[in-house]
Amino acid sequence: MKRTLISILASLAALLVLFSCDPTKNKPEVQDTLTVSPASLDFEAEDASTKLVYVTTEKDWTATPSASWIHMEKTSGTGKATLAVTVDTNTGEDRSGSISVKGSSTVSVAVSQKGKNIVTVVANPDSFDGTKRSSTTYQLLIYSFADSNGDGIGDFKGIQNKLDYLDEMGVTGLWLSPAHPSDSYHAYDVTDYYDVNPLYGTQEDFKNLIDAAHGKGIKIYMDYVLNHSGKGNAWFKQALADPSSQYRDYYFFSSNPSADYTKFPMLKGTTYQAGEWKQATSGSPKLTVTKTTEAVTTGSSNWNLYTWKDGSAAQELRFKDRGDGTLYLVFEVNGSCGMLIRKYMNWDPGSKFGASGKVTITEGKAVDLVPDGEDMSFTGSGRYKIELSNVTTETLYYMGCFSDWMPDLNYGDPATAEDNPTFQALAGSADKWINLGVDGLRLDAVKHICGGINSYNNTANQTLLKKWYDHCNATYKAAGHTDDIFMVAEAWESHGVEKNYYKGINSCFEFAYFDELKKALSGNAAGYVSAVSGFISDHTAVRPDAITSIFMTNHDQDRAAEALGKNLAKEKQAAAMLLTTAGKPFVYQGEELGYYGTKGGGDEYVRTPMMWNKSGSDCAKKGVSKVDNAMLTSSISVEAQKADANSLLNVYKTWSRLRNIYPALAEGTMTVAPGNGGSIAAWYMTAGSQKLLVIHNTAGTAKDVTVKDDMSRAVGLLGTATYDHTTLTLGPNSSVVFKL
């Protein structure tokens, strides 16, 4: 019994030991709680910092980021932990993600990061409403623009045929080179102010061009030459032939110009320049040949007979002067010979006299001689006396400051010019063209009208121009127009002098503009806005309705592309800057294609014919034989550039279209904008409630600009641009316009 009890107790003890060896037996389960803090992490776009996440648990855990841009130093463990979190730089939009921590439960930590918000700028302009407002004028040379009939000379119908091209360029006006008859290819020596050059077509053709242009919202501006006429003008011919002619006072004539210079009211305030006075002929001589037995004689007067046989050198014989306005000489003839008369012992222009047509001289029959007449022929045998009657033996001069074939016009006293016959004759011709439909005039060489090349009276010129403008504007108004006529003067002076010409006329070419543009395009753009706005404010201070005409170069200057080093990026940006600047922009024929050239070999090299097709120009152009064929490759043609979206031509089209769409670009006030400086030209263009921000980076490298305005709506872009909040990054030679 005792042994049995002991045995039972031993078994119980063994069971007790067995149970005590299992730690889970009879012990309550632990309830673990997973906590994670903070609940969110916020990072900046360029955040190099490490942010911490705290995990509290007694169990195992894992942490998993939701995006590849979120990085963790440790992603698993047991028990408490501190987790380091970093992110990549965000160059895009704001973004968000999370970190999922799993243990006894799952807890999510939100992760957000601001973006740089770098947006690539894409231009999205408004639609064109069909109203042309750009005020962009295209300067074209009639003779070298477009030929319609295959004679190699540009003409009115040729221009009319290309109006679609000009319309696509967005132009609102055409400045035509002189359309009047002349004796030169460039036509600045007008021989008839009341007609058009027959090489260009008829007056009806000209009227058709005007009407067709108006149908496309394009105005026509004629080039008018007030300083001088051509030597072949009937007025000048009659003035030479007859001292009593009414046309003698249309010009400056004197036998002693150095003494008489100050007697001409238009020349007061200027000084005599001997080189600007040319020898002239005078009178209307008659030539008579009669048979004689007198001895062969010659005299010593200035008058000369030139006679020659075919294939023989000319014989020069000098007349004897009787002192009564008649001259004579005796010479011997054997067969047929040619003749002409010269007043001087040299071949100076103006000295030649001949018949008005092909004439064979008959013995005893007088022949009327005219300046620059035809050579005459005579057949005889023996001795003959040649007599000249109605001659003036004095040496006569006329003023031709530019050339002997462009005699200066005399308008009398500038203060009363409207009463002068010369002024009235020129004004009458302008009336004709204004009534035909011409919308304005470009006035050539205005600073030389009262004076010459080297000495001129700016104040007198301004007075005369006011008379001219007021007369033409009255005619324009009488023709039914409600606005004022546009008239732009070539007052090729410094800005300080040029601005005063607005006392007489409502627009002048601002020759200083291209200097400022070139400076800006060299990377020094800081002063561009203030310079241009200064030009405009100076002009409006003189005349409230002043129109500042801005341009790069014209037919008298080396080409703009040449001045810009034939750098296409700069040429494109020059176009964008010109067409986003306040004022009235002018584009010169071929500029939109990248034509280059200098005047070194002749003016023709900057007046190159348009190359419409890849195969070549439709005309070689009479008088424009000097062309650079190395430039005129197929790639520079209109045909090639129209097909190339990135061509210079399409830059002109795009930016001129913008100017037509937005009144602020066409008519707005220009003021400097934040960010302007260094290679950045930045300005606002404002008209009424419309405001645009214009920014150009003229450097050859990308530049950042701090912008305080809304950049969400770009309407114009050249090159590349991106933005991030307040920072605009412009690529090399890139430009952008924002609508605010």
Side-chain angles (χ1 to χ4, degrees):
M1 186 72 177
K2 184 175 179 181
R3 180 176 299 174
T4 301
L5 179 61
I6 292 172
S7 177
I8 292 170
L9 291 172
S11 297
L12 288 171
L15 288 170
L16 181 61
V17 171
L18 177 64
F19 281 110
S20 66
C21 290
D22 185 355
T24 64
K25 298 297 183 179
N26 301 320
K27 183 178 180 180
E29 186 176 348
V30 176
Q31 297 297 314
D32 183 55
T33 301
L34 173 68
T35 61
V36 181
S37 64
S40 63
L41 301 177
D42 297 318
F43 290 88
E44 296 298 321
E46 294 184 89
D47 202 329
S49 67
T50 299
K51 299 189 184 298
L52 302 177
V53 174
Y54 300 96
V55 177
T56 303
T57 184
E58 293 184 5
K59 286 192 170 187
D60 294 340
W61 55 267
T62 60
T64 305
S66 67
S68 62
W69 52 271
I70 303 172
H71 304 284
M72 301 183 67
E73 185 180 43
K74 187 177 182 182
T75 58
S76 65
T78 302
K80 291 183 178 181
T82 300
L83 309 182
V85 181
T86 59
V87 294
D88 293 335
T89 296
N90 183 13
T91 60
E93 302 288 332
D94 294 352
R95 61 188 176 185
S96 60
S98 63
I99 299 171
S100 178
V101 181
K102 292 182 179 181
S104 58
S105 60
T106 300
V107 179
S108 183
V109 177
V111 181
S112 65
Q113 185 182 22
K114 291 180 179 178
K116 273 193 169 184
N117 291 324
I118 297 179
V119 178
T120 299
V121 175
V122 177
N124 182 28
D126 293 304
S127 298
F128 177 44
D129 62 8
T131 300
K132 296 179 76 172
R133 52 178 66 87
S134 72
S135 74
T136 305
T137 297
Y138 188 89
Q139 177 196 357
L140 66 82
L141 310 172
I142 302 173
Y143 53 85
S144 69
F145 186 68
D147 174 27
S148 70
N149 59 10
D151 66 355
I153 303 168
D155 48 45
F156 299 132
K157 288 183 179 179
I159 299 169
Q160 187 173 339
N161 292 341
K162 300 299 182 182
L163 285 177
D164 284 344
Y165 170 81
L166 296 162
D167 187 43
E168 289 170 4
M169 276 192 65
V171 302
T172 57
L174 299 181
W175 158 22
L176 309 182
S177 61
H180 302 117
S182 75
D183 292 324
S184 70
Y185 81 91
H186 55 68
Y188 281 95
D189 55 331
V190 177
T191 57
D192 188 350
Y193 287 90
Y194 285 81
D195 202 356
V196 295
N197 195 325
L199 294 174
Y200 305 157
T202 65
Q203 292 190 37
E204 182 181 4
D205 293 333
F206 186 39
K207 173 62 174 170
N208 290 338
L209 168 61
I210 294 171
D211 291 344
H214 287 171
K216 292 185 176 293
I218 299 174
K219 296 184 176 181
I220 298 293
Y221 307 136
M222 289 185 79
D223 204 322
Y224 240 70
V225 189
L226 297 181
N227 179 74
H228 54 265
S229 77
K231 184 180 176 183
N233 193 298
W235 299 341
F236 187 68
K237 286 184 175 181
Q238 292 185 47
L240 282 175
D242 184 1
S244 62
S245 167
Q246 62 173 325
Y247 300 111
R248 179 57 71 96
D249 290 333
Y250 276 37
Y251 302 91
F252 301 95
F253 284 103
S254 173
S255 59
N256 189 6
S258 61
D260 294 342
Y261 191 81
T262 57
K263 296 179 182 178
F264 296 105
M266 274 185 63
L267 304 182
K268 289 183 177 179
T270 68
T271 57
Y272 170 70
Q273 307 288 321
E276 296 177 352
W277 288 81
K278 318 300 181 184
Q279 285 186 339
T281 53
S282 179
S284 182
K286 293 181 182 295
L287 178 147
T288 307
V289 178
T290 56
K291 189 87 173 182
T292 184
T293 57
E294 295 180 39
V296 172
T297 60
T298 60
S300 59
S301 75
N302 284 334
W303 290 83
N304 303 269
L305 167 69
Y306 284 80
T307 179
W308 63 92
K309 293 182 179 180
D310 290 341
S312 301
Q315 180 183 14
E316 178 183 345
L317 303 171
R318 299 178 70 178
F319 285 90
K320 284 189 173 183
D321 185 356
R322 292 192 176 104
D324 59 358
T326 61
L327 308 170
Y328 76 99
L329 62 78
V330 176
F331 78 128
E332 210 166 298
V333 178
N334 183 17
S336 297
C337 65
M339 293 184 182
L340 63 83
I341 304 294
R342 285 195 173 269
K343 181 176 178 180
Y344 308 112
M345 288 295 293
N346 52 40
W347 288 71
D348 283 352
S351 70
K352 175 185 173 182
F353 279 87
S356 58
K358 294 292 185 182
V359 169
T360 298
I361 299 171
T362 302
E363 281 187 53
K365 185 175 180 180
V367 176
D368 291 320
L369 302 182
V370 296
D372 296 319
E374 299 282 350
D375 296 346
M376 301 165 286
S377 61
F378 177 72
T379 301
S381 178
R383 294 177 186 172
Y384 294 87
K385 179 184 287 186
I386 297 183
E387 295 186 275
L388 292 180
S389 58
N390 194 28
V391 298
T392 301
T393 57
E394 67 175 351
T395 301
L396 191 68
Y397 299 88
Y398 64 92
M399 187 176 183
C401 71
F402 281 104
S403 167
D404 56 86
W405 44 275
M406 292 193 283
D408 284 44
L409 290 162
N410 179 10
Y411 299 103
D413 187 346
T416 56
E418 69 272 25
D419 299 324
N420 181 273
T422 315
F423 183 98
Q424 291 171 353
L426 268 292
S429 70
D431 291 345
K432 172 178 178 174
W433 305 116
I434 293 170
N435 287 322
L436 191 72
V438 167
D439 303 281
L441 304 176
R442 178 263 184 185
L443 303 183
D444 180 65
V446 297
K447 76 176 186 180
H448 304 295
I449 298 174
C450 296
I453 296 294
N454 299 308
S455 180
Y456 41 87
N457 187 331
N458 283 315
T459 300
N461 285 322
Q462 292 154 24
T463 299
L464 183 64
L465 285 178
K466 186 177 187 310
K467 304 283 186 181
W468 178 262
Y469 180 85
D470 289 347
H471 173 93
C472 292
N473 197 38
T475 302
Y476 184 74
K477 296 278 193 181
H481 299 279
T482 56
D483 59 334
D484 289 324
I485 192 170
F486 175 70
M487 199 175 293
V488 58
E490 182 201 24
W492 200 335
E493 279 279 13
S494 66
H495 171 71
V497 175
E498 167 262 348
K499 66 182 181 181
N500 293 308
Y501 272 80
Y502 282 86
K503 294 176 181 177
I505 197 166
N506 65 352
S507 187
C508 291
F509 288 114
E510 184 52 70
F511 280 84
Y513 169 75
F514 191 45
D515 292 333
E516 295 298 329
L517 181 58
K518 286 186 294 184
K519 186 190 300 181
L521 290 169
S522 72
N524 183 12
Y528 179 81
V529 181
S530 59
V532 175
S533 57
F535 295 154
I536 294 170
S537 60
D538 284 350
H539 297 157
T540 54
V542 176
R543 185 188 190 104
D545 63 344
I547 300 169
T548 299
S549 290
I550 57 175
F551 71 107
M552 285 189 265
T553 61
N554 63 27
H555 62 290
D556 286 325
Q557 298 170 291
D558 291 349
R559 283 282 192 171
E562 193 80 34
L564 297 175
K566 303 175 190 174
N567 183 314
L568 184 58
K570 289 186 177 183
E571 291 171 44
K572 289 180 177 181
Q573 190 160 47
M577 293 183 75
L578 176 75
L579 294 170
T580 53
T581 296
K584 184 176 179 68
F586 281 70
V587 177
Y588 175 40
Q589 169 183 316
E591 205 164 72
E592 75 276 20
L593 302 173
Y595 275 19
Y596 55 82
T598 70
K599 294 174 45 134
D603 287 346
E604 295 93 332
Y605 284 106
V606 296
R607 302 173 184 181
T608 305
M610 286 288 283
M611 187 169 175
W612 293 103
N613 306 305
K614 291 181 181 180
S615 58
S617 173
D618 64 354
C619 44
K621 303 304 180 195
K622 179 181 178 181
V624 191
S625 57
K626 298 177 181 178
V627 296
D628 186 349
N629 290 314
M631 177 184 73
L632 295 179
T633 60
S634 61
S635 63
I636 210 168
S637 68
V638 173
E639 180 185 2
Q641 294 202 32
K642 285 183 73 172
D644 179 3
N646 295 315
S647 69
L648 180 59
L649 173 60
N650 279 313
V651 170
Y652 273 90
K653 286 183 177 181
T654 297
W655 290 79
S656 190
R657 183 179 180 84
L658 280 179
R659 198 174 177 94
N660 272 320
I661 292 172
Y662 296 104
L665 282 181
E667 307 154 4
T669 301
M670 184 180 187
T671 54
V672 69
N676 184 74
S679 66
I680 302 297
W683 65 86
Y684 297 114
M685 292 295 289
T686 308
S689 61
Q690 188 177 90
K691 188 174 185 180
L692 302 177
L693 172 62
V694 180
I695 306 178
H696 301 274
N697 171 29
T698 63
T701 56
K703 296 291 181 181
D704 290 340
V705 186
T706 299
V707 179
K708 298 181 179 180
D709 296 287
D710 178 18
M711 292 182 285
S712 63
R713 177 71 189 284
V715 297
L717 177 67
L718 172 68
T720 61
T722 59
Y723 65 82
D724 158 31
H725 297 300
T726 60
T727 302
L728 173 70
T729 301
L730 277 171
N733 292 108
S734 292
S735 306
V736 66
V737 178
F738 295 105
K739 184 178 180 182
L740 305 180

